[in-house]
mmCIF file of all heavy atoms in Angstrom:
data_model
loop_
_atom_site.group_PDB
_atom_site.id
_atom_site.type_symbol
_atom_site.label_atom_id
_atom_site.label_comp_id
_atom_site.label_asym_id
_atom_site.label_seq_id
_atom_site.Cartn_x
_atom_site.Cartn_y
_atom_site.Cartn_z
ATOM 1 N N PHE A 103 13.938 40.114 -20.480
ATOM 2 C CA PHE A 103 15.203 40.206 -19.783
ATOM 3 C C PHE A 103 16.014 38.926 -19.856
ATOM 4 O O PHE A 103 15.444 37.798 -19.838
ATOM 5 C CB PHE A 103 14.980 40.615 -18.311
ATOM 6 C CG PHE A 103 14.144 41.850 -18.162
ATOM 7 C CD1 PHE A 103 12.815 41.847 -17.885
ATOM 8 C CD2 PHE A 103 14.765 43.134 -18.400
ATOM 9 C CE1 PHE A 103 12.087 43.069 -17.756
ATOM 10 C CE2 PHE A 103 14.080 44.241 -18.311
ATOM 11 C CZ PHE A 103 12.687 44.281 -18.028
ATOM 12 N N LEU A 104 17.342 39.098 -19.885
ATOM 13 C CA LEU A 104 18.219 37.955 -19.751
ATOM 14 C C LEU A 104 18.059 37.238 -18.423
ATOM 15 O O LEU A 104 18.215 37.917 -17.432
ATOM 16 C CB LEU A 104 19.684 38.402 -20.009
ATOM 17 C CG LEU A 104 20.711 37.278 -20.132
ATOM 18 C CD1 LEU A 104 20.478 36.491 -21.404
ATOM 19 C CD2 LEU A 104 22.122 37.928 -20.222
ATOM 20 N N ASP A 105 17.818 35.932 -18.395
ATOM 21 C CA ASP A 105 17.678 35.211 -17.116
ATOM 22 C C ASP A 105 19.016 34.721 -16.692
ATOM 23 O O ASP A 105 19.786 34.293 -17.505
ATOM 24 C CB ASP A 105 16.617 33.979 -17.425
ATOM 25 C CG ASP A 105 16.172 33.369 -16.211
ATOM 26 O OD1 ASP A 105 16.707 33.713 -15.132
ATOM 27 O OD2 ASP A 105 15.299 32.515 -16.195
ATOM 28 N N ASP A 106 19.166 34.747 -15.392
ATOM 29 C CA ASP A 106 20.460 34.261 -14.805
ATOM 30 C C ASP A 106 20.355 32.838 -14.363
ATOM 31 O O ASP A 106 21.197 32.340 -13.520
ATOM 32 C CB ASP A 106 20.915 35.180 -13.626
ATOM 33 C CG ASP A 106 19.884 35.201 -12.527
ATOM 34 O OD1 ASP A 106 18.845 34.469 -12.591
ATOM 35 O OD2 ASP A 106 20.147 35.850 -11.417
ATOM 36 N N TYR A 107 19.434 32.086 -14.835
ATOM 37 C CA TYR A 107 19.247 30.698 -14.482
ATOM 38 C C TYR A 107 20.521 29.968 -14.816
ATOM 39 O O TYR A 107 21.063 30.028 -15.944
ATOM 40 C CB TYR A 107 18.117 30.061 -15.257
ATOM 41 C CG TYR A 107 17.848 28.612 -14.866
ATOM 42 C CD1 TYR A 107 17.042 28.337 -13.902
ATOM 43 C CD2 TYR A 107 18.399 27.609 -15.597
ATOM 44 C CE1 TYR A 107 16.738 26.953 -13.545
ATOM 45 C CE2 TYR A 107 18.144 26.296 -15.355
ATOM 46 C CZ TYR A 107 17.299 25.996 -14.319
ATOM 47 O OH TYR A 107 17.058 24.688 -13.991
ATOM 48 N N ASN A 108 21.187 29.224 -13.824
ATOM 49 C CA ASN A 108 22.339 28.536 -14.089
ATOM 50 C C ASN A 108 22.088 27.065 -14.444
ATOM 51 O O ASN A 108 21.847 26.268 -13.641
ATOM 52 C CB ASN A 108 23.227 28.488 -12.735
ATOM 53 C CG ASN A 108 24.571 28.010 -12.913
ATOM 54 O OD1 ASN A 108 24.929 27.159 -13.810
ATOM 55 N ND2 ASN A 108 25.465 28.561 -12.126
ATOM 56 N N PHE A 109 22.133 26.856 -15.771
ATOM 57 C CA PHE A 109 21.848 25.521 -16.309
ATOM 58 C C PHE A 109 22.858 24.502 -15.804
ATOM 59 O O PHE A 109 22.502 23.311 -15.605
ATOM 60 C CB PHE A 109 21.902 25.533 -17.919
ATOM 61 C CG PHE A 109 20.549 26.115 -18.480
ATOM 62 C CD1 PHE A 109 20.296 27.438 -18.483
ATOM 63 C CD2 PHE A 109 19.605 25.251 -18.980
ATOM 64 C CE1 PHE A 109 19.126 27.930 -19.036
ATOM 65 C CE2 PHE A 109 18.386 25.646 -19.512
ATOM 66 C CZ PHE A 109 18.191 27.036 -19.593
ATOM 67 N N LYS A 110 24.140 24.991 -15.716
ATOM 68 C CA LYS A 110 25.160 24.001 -15.310
ATOM 69 C C LYS A 110 24.952 23.503 -13.891
ATOM 70 O O LYS A 110 25.094 22.310 -13.566
ATOM 71 C CB LYS A 110 26.513 24.718 -15.336
ATOM 72 C CG LYS A 110 27.728 23.789 -15.151
ATOM 73 C CD LYS A 110 28.014 22.953 -16.359
ATOM 74 C CE LYS A 110 29.256 22.174 -16.237
ATOM 75 N NZ LYS A 110 29.517 21.352 -17.463
ATOM 76 N N THR A 111 24.508 24.372 -12.978
ATOM 77 C CA THR A 111 24.283 23.993 -11.565
ATOM 78 C C THR A 111 23.007 23.171 -11.477
ATOM 79 O O THR A 111 22.940 22.241 -10.658
ATOM 80 C CB THR A 111 24.225 25.252 -10.654
ATOM 81 O OG1 THR A 111 25.467 25.964 -10.785
ATOM 82 C CG2 THR A 111 23.990 24.796 -9.248
ATOM 83 N N MET A 112 22.029 23.525 -12.255
ATOM 84 C CA MET A 112 20.718 22.952 -12.165
ATOM 85 C C MET A 112 20.395 21.961 -13.274
ATOM 86 O O MET A 112 19.217 21.729 -13.540
ATOM 87 C CB MET A 112 19.626 23.994 -12.134
ATOM 88 C CG MET A 112 19.747 25.096 -11.141
ATOM 89 S SD MET A 112 19.740 24.497 -9.385
ATOM 90 C CE MET A 112 18.055 23.998 -9.345
ATOM 91 N N ASN A 113 21.386 21.264 -13.734
ATOM 92 C CA ASN A 113 21.179 20.458 -14.906
ATOM 93 C C ASN A 113 20.320 19.173 -14.584
ATOM 94 O O ASN A 113 19.739 18.595 -15.501
ATOM 95 C CB ASN A 113 22.482 20.012 -15.643
ATOM 96 C CG ASN A 113 23.474 19.376 -14.663
ATOM 97 O OD1 ASN A 113 23.128 18.493 -13.812
ATOM 98 N ND2 ASN A 113 24.749 19.745 -14.860
ATOM 99 N N ILE A 114 20.214 18.791 -13.343
ATOM 100 C CA ILE A 114 19.353 17.619 -13.071
ATOM 101 C C ILE A 114 17.868 17.912 -13.305
ATOM 102 O O ILE A 114 17.062 17.011 -13.568
ATOM 103 C CB ILE A 114 19.521 17.188 -11.594
ATOM 104 C CG1 ILE A 114 18.968 15.720 -11.498
ATOM 105 C CG2 ILE A 114 18.873 18.074 -10.535
ATOM 106 C CD1 ILE A 114 19.244 14.915 -10.127
ATOM 107 N N ASN A 115 17.530 19.241 -13.354
ATOM 108 C CA ASN A 115 16.091 19.558 -13.773
ATOM 109 C C ASN A 115 15.812 19.085 -15.190
ATOM 110 O O ASN A 115 14.668 18.952 -15.582
ATOM 111 C CB ASN A 115 16.005 21.107 -13.717
ATOM 112 C CG ASN A 115 15.951 21.574 -12.275
ATOM 113 O OD1 ASN A 115 15.763 20.826 -11.339
ATOM 114 N ND2 ASN A 115 16.169 22.892 -12.082
#
Side-chain angles (χ1 to χ4, degrees):
F103 304 103
L104 187 65
D105 193 351
D106 61 358
Y107 182 88
N108 190 328
F109 280 80
K110 188 72 171 179
T111 302
M112 303 299 295
N113 54 42
I114 196 168
N115 290 343

